[in-house]
């Protein structure tokens, strides 16, 4: 194992629901998972996808804990539908146009602060999201002090929302010069949001702004290829993607306190 990666894990972890301070100091529900032991380690904020704060997202949180990180997923729909089932909460949020960008920034900043306040924190926090969460991860990288960003096929980072869509999100092109952390992007070449042309344009814009990034696009993979419970799940792409995520976070979240 590389010296940059978290130490060996016994696989033992704790997972529980907590409350943390989000945008405007609002108390929001969150799912926290932590490996056993008191070793200093990095943290990961997991941004759930449009379908919500669901079982599959919580499994990802636990996976990061098993890999040696403190990980937390804030329930972005706490305000719209407290206590509702994920599908119901997502329907309410979608009907309202999605999570407002400034509120998302505040909620991720609050989740990152929560992780950094844990006694095991080494001060470093990464963020990851899939689909709508991928776009939001990039947004968080442009507007908060996270240390590493993973965008898994984030829709509408630069492209427009289709006409007639209830989603009220805008392009992040104007924000990209503010990206303050290295970015890992994982995409499918059969995806349409973002399609290959959008991924290429995003890479051009990041290069133009002299940002640190690496993109990987998987042949034969469509949107949602990480989602084990969906038809687009692609075993080869997802397995390689997880390896790249672990290596990327190993490089950027390991070590001592932030400078």
């Amino acid at each position: 194992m590389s010296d940059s990666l978290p130490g060996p894990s016994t696989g033992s972890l704790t997972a529980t629901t907590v409350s943390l301070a989000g945008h405007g100091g609002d108390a929001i529900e969150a799912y926290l998972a932590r490996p056993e032991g008191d070793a200093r380690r990095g943290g990961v904020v997991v941004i759930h996808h449009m379908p919500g704060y669901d079982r599959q997202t919580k499994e990802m949180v636990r996976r990061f804990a098993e890999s040696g990180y403190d990980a937390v997923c804030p329930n972005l729909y706490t305000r719209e539908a407290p206590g509702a089932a994920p599908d119901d909460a997502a329907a309410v949020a979608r009907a309202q146009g999605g999570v407002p960008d400034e509120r998302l920034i505040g909620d991720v900043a609050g989740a990152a602060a929560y992780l950094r306040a844990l006694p095991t924190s080494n001060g470093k926090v990464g963020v990851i999201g899939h689909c709508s969460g991928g776009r939001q991860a990039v947004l968080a990288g442009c507007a908060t002090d996270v240390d590493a960003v993973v965008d898994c096929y984030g829709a509408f980072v630069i492209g427009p929302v289709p006409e007639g869509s209830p989603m009220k999100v805008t392009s992040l092109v104007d924000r990209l010069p503010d990206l303050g952390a290295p970015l890992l992007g994982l995409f499918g070449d059969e995806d349409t949001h973002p399609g290959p042309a959008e991924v290429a344009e995003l890479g051009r814009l990041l290069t133009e702004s002299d940002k640190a990034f690496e993109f990987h696009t998987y042949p034969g993979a469509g949107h949602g290829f990480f989602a084990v419970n969906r038809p687009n799940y692609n075993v080869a792409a997802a397995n390689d993607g997880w390896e790249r995520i672990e290596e990327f976070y190993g490089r950027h979240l390991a070590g001592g306190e932030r400078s």
Side-chain angles (χ1 to χ4, degrees):
M1 178 175 288
S2 167
D3 290 342
S4 67
L5 297 174
S9 171
T10 65
S12 295
L13 56 87
T14 59
T16 187
T17 299
V18 299
S19 178
L20 57 82
H23 178 69
D26 294 345
I28 59 174
E29 179 184 15
Y31 187 73
L32 174 71
R34 304 177 67 196
E36 70 172 9
D38 56 3
R40 290 298 182 97
R41 50 191 176 245
V44 178
V45 177
V46 178
I47 301 176
H48 64 69
H49 55 172
M50 180 60 67
Y53 177 74
D54 56 11
R55 175 179 292 174
Q56 290 71 38
T57 302
K58 291 176 180 179
E59 287 176 354
M60 290 183 184
V61 177
R62 293 192 296 272
R63 178 165 182 155
F64 282 115
E66 195 277 333
S67 294
Y69 300 98
D70 294 323
V72 68
C73 176
N75 182 356
L76 304 178
Y77 303 156
T78 296
R79 301 167 185 83
E80 282 81 10
D87 286 348
D88 294 337
V92 173
R94 186 180 288 107
Q96 295 181 4
V99 175
D101 281 353
E102 294 309 308
R103 197 179 85 187
L104 179 281
I105 291 167
D107 285 355
V108 172
Y114 183 94
L115 290 172
R116 289 188 176 121
L118 294 174
T120 49
S121 174
N122 67 4
K124 297 180 181 180
V125 173
V127 62
I128 184 171
H130 299 69
C131 190
S132 63
R135 175 190 176 277
Q136 290 166 332
V138 175
L139 173 62
C142 296
T144 71
D145 64 344
V146 294
D147 299 280
V149 178
V150 179
D151 167 14
C152 299
Y153 39 81
F156 315 126
V157 174
I158 62 168
V161 175
E163 186 174 349
S165 170
M167 300 306 297
K168 299 175 182 176
V169 298
T170 58
S171 166
L172 300 180
V173 169
D174 291 343
R175 290 187 182 256
L176 291 178
D178 296 324
L179 181 66
L183 169 66
L184 172 65
L186 302 172
F187 308 99
D189 72 352
E190 294 187 1
D191 202 343
T192 56
H193 297 297
E198 289 181 25
V199 173
E201 176 63 7
L202 176 57
R204 187 191 69 79
L205 292 169
L206 292 170
T207 299
E208 189 176 82
S209 295
D210 196 28
K211 301 301 179 182
F213 72 97
E214 55 188 271
F215 287 174
H216 301 278
T217 298
Y218 296 98
H223 196 73
F225 64 79
F226 274 101
V228 296
N229 63 322
R230 294 175 180 269
N232 275 0
Y233 178 52
N234 185 302
V235 175
N239 285 344
D240 186 79
W242 274 113
E243 288 182 7
R244 293 185 186 276
I245 291 166
E246 290 169 4
E247 192 277 334
F248 181 75
Y249 278 160
R251 279 188 280 127
H252 296 293
L253 301 184
E257 296 292 334
R258 307 169 85 207
S259 59

